[in-house]
Amino acid sequence: EGSDRSGSLRSGEDPEPMTRPTMEDALVALRESFGYDAFRPGQSMAIESVLSGRDTLVVLPTGGGKSVCFQIPALVLPGLTVVVSPLISLMKDQVDALEAKNLPAAFINSTLSSAQVSERLARATRGELRMLYLAPERFDFGNVAARLKEIGVSLLAIDEAHCISQWGHDFRPSYLRVAEARKKLGNPPTVALTATATPEVREDICKQLALVDPQTIITGF
């Protein structure tokens, strides 16, 4: 399903042909938002693949700057990037760091009241957020997936993607919901990121998420 997605319009997009952001746009965002002049090894390839609209699997070691591989595309792509993250503390740390740089991000997880969730979805609807972090369980609550599809998701980023694989060391059953949620979002281009993935786990991540002809980038070990 969705094998001819590359040129198709996504829900919520302008019907005019979309001019894809370039690596030059990505470098400008890196300089202006993060203060770096160049990407690390692997990041450039990953970001280029993501900006081209291709499903991408990124295997970078811890501390290798995995989050930049979706945060920079989120800043230059139109619409909203949804980031699936397994740990409430990790999600909060990343959003706090982005907000400290005045980058518009928020999270939705079990620590929030339903009123707070509604307020954050309303901000996303108004185009005030570039990144919305979600725990995988959140797709099941209320009509979150349907609301996000209405808003229009430009990119789905799955952090700690090894959690979806039963071959992985940190399998989380809640991650099995992500593939279904991806369908509900309209199969947006997807980037899956992990620091630890054997060939079996990499293959399983791609299969479980139904990634289409994914570009796989492995670096830095």
Side-chain angles (χ1 to χ4, degrees):
E1 184 179 295
S3 58
D4 61 346
R5 293 179 295 112
S6 56
S8 63
L9 281 173
R10 313 209 174 273
S11 88
E13 272 188 8
D14 193 275
E16 291 299 314
M18 186 174 92
T19 307
R20 290 203 170 276
T22 63
M23 285 304 290
E24 187 52 45
D25 298 325
L27 271 169
V28 170
L30 183 73
R31 276 195 295 270
E32 290 181 353
S33 300
F34 293 92
Y36 297 112
D37 286 324
F39 291 111
R40 292 185 193 175
Q43 288 177 336
S44 294
M45 286 187 291
I47 290 167
E48 201 159 353
S49 177
V50 170
L51 292 183
S52 75
R54 191 169 173 187
D55 287 343
T56 307
L57 173 63
V58 179
V59 186
L60 280 178
T62 301
K66 286 198 311 300
S67 56
V68 165
C69 298
F70 61 81
Q71 289 174 346
I72 291 293
L75 295 175
V76 298
L77 286 165
L80 183 69
T81 291
V82 170
V83 184
V84 177
S85 181
L87 298 171
I88 285 171
S89 57
L90 186 70
M91 200 183 296
K92 185 174 184 321
D93 286 350
Q94 286 206 16
V95 170
D96 285 350
L98 290 164
E99 286 184 325
K101 294 182 170 77
N102 289 317
L103 301 176
F107 62 78
I108 290 177
N109 60 34
S110 57
T111 66
L112 302 183
S113 67
S114 57
Q116 288 172 309
V117 171
S118 294
E119 184 267 334
R120 289 175 189 208
L121 286 171
R123 284 175 65 200
T125 303
R126 292 193 298 267
E128 292 171 13
L129 296 177
R130 306 300 295 174
M131 281 167 269
L132 184 63
Y133 284 71
L134 286 182
E137 299 86 348
R138 290 294 104 190
F139 288 114
D140 294 346
F141 282 81
N143 57 352
V144 168
R147 283 286 303 276
L148 291 171
K149 185 171 192 293
E150 272 172 38
I151 291 164
V153 176
S154 300
L155 177 66
L156 177 63
I158 296 150
D159 207 4
E160 310 295 334
H162 56 272
C163 293
I164 203 171
S165 174
Q166 298 190 51
W167 300 102
H169 61 83
D170 198 17
F171 172 63
R172 290 170 186 261
S174 62
Y175 257 58
L176 294 176
R177 299 183 175 110
V178 176
E180 190 56 39
R182 183 173 179 247
K183 279 187 199 164
K184 289 178 182 170
L185 296 176
N187 283 318
T190 298
V191 56
L193 308 105
T194 176
T196 54
T198 63
E200 294 82 6
V201 170
R202 293 200 300 269
E203 194 177 322
D204 203 26
I205 289 168
C206 295
K207 183 176 150 213
Q208 295 287 353
L209 291 170
L211 300 185
V212 177
D213 183 28
Q215 168 101 343
T216 301
I217 290 144
I218 305 165
T219 187
F221 289 92

